[in-house]
Amino acid sequence: MLFSSRTSRLLMSAAVALLPAAALAAPKVGEPAPAFTGVDAHGKTVTLSGLAGKTVVLEWMNDGCPYVVKWYKSGEMQKLQRDATTKGAVWLTVASSAPGEQGHVDGETALKQTADRNASPTHFVLDPKGVIGRAYGAQVTPHMYVIAPDGKLAYMGGIDSIASTDPADIPKAEPLARLAINQVLDGKPVTKPVTRAYGCSVKYAN
């Protein structure tokens, strides 16, 4: 998944640098996370109710977004996925791009992308109508959410603190999502439960 500098610049023209910490229509931290039913890339039904009692991480994905490329090309997203799932979390990569829009994938393509990236989400959830994305107020890719084992939303916001497409910035940034995931897995309160998300706008259907 390599991009030329010219391609990256073109893709960035559709990117959103930062969003307010409280996104429009987003659910509230400390309240029950929105219920959902989705289908993953294998055709398996995935429900939030079926994941009760587990820490659930949701990552909004658009394979053409340079902010997403930054995290996967560097291997840092894969590392975060493995670290979280090894500790017992369920990781849901969610694609809410509409058919014909950048980032839309079918099951076969999603599985190939996952294999090519050596990624390890628990499920790659297909959301072409944007039902799950809108329920969570997901605005950008990657937009990150963490649901605690009690079913309440514990974190929503950015993957880290530096809104950049440069992988060199990852070790310099505050690892907001990683901190939230680990705090929830450890049964501790999330110190920064709502943060600014950055990335490319989610390409919802009109």
Side-chain angles (χ1 to χ4, degrees):
M1 189 174 63
L2 299 176
F3 293 82
S4 68
S5 59
R6 179 176 180 274
T7 301
S8 293
R9 288 196 298 271
L10 289 172
L11 290 172
M12 284 184 66
S13 66
V16 175
L18 283 171
L19 284 174
L24 181 64
K28 293 183 179 180
V29 165
E31 295 187 356
F36 64 81
T37 298
V39 176
D40 74 4
H42 291 282
K44 180 180 179 180
T45 298
V46 180
T47 66
L48 183 58
S49 60
L51 303 175
K54 294 185 177 295
T55 296
V56 179
V57 181
L58 296 99
E59 163 223 352
W60 259 264
M61 153 66 70
N62 171 352
D63 191 57
C65 172
Y67 295 94
V68 172
V69 172
K70 159 191 169 180
W71 277 87
Y72 278 99
K73 186 177 178 180
S74 67
E76 291 299 319
M77 186 70 83
Q78 297 93 319
K79 182 179 179 181
L80 185 55
Q81 291 171 345
R82 287 192 293 270
D83 289 349
T85 55
T86 297
K87 294 176 182 177
V90 173
W91 189 290
L92 306 181
T93 295
V94 185
S96 292
S97 294
E101 297 289 346
Q102 182 193 71
H104 172 73
V105 289
D106 57 18
E108 182 179 355
T109 303
L111 292 174
K112 184 178 186 305
Q113 288 179 357
T114 300
D116 289 348
R117 289 190 292 257
N118 193 29
S120 52
T122 311
H123 298 278
F124 193 132
V125 179
L126 309 178
D127 182 39
K129 294 183 179 179
V131 175
I132 301 173
R134 288 191 173 100
Y136 278 79
Q139 300 291 315
V140 298
T141 53
H143 207 152
M144 305 296 296
Y145 298 77
V146 184
I147 302 169
D150 63 3
K152 294 181 180 179
L153 187 64
Y155 177 79
M156 61 181 182
I159 190 165
D160 70 3
S161 63
I162 298 180
S164 160
T165 60
D166 186 353
D169 286 329
I170 294 176
K172 304 173 188 176
E174 184 178 7
L176 299 169
R178 176 180 289 277
L179 290 172
I181 293 167
N182 287 338
Q183 286 169 338
V184 173
L185 285 168
D186 290 341
K188 299 177 180 178
V190 176
T191 53
K192 294 185 178 180
V194 182
T195 66
R196 292 183 182 274
Y198 70 85
C200 304
S201 61
V202 177
K203 308 301 189 285
Y204 288 115
N206 293 328

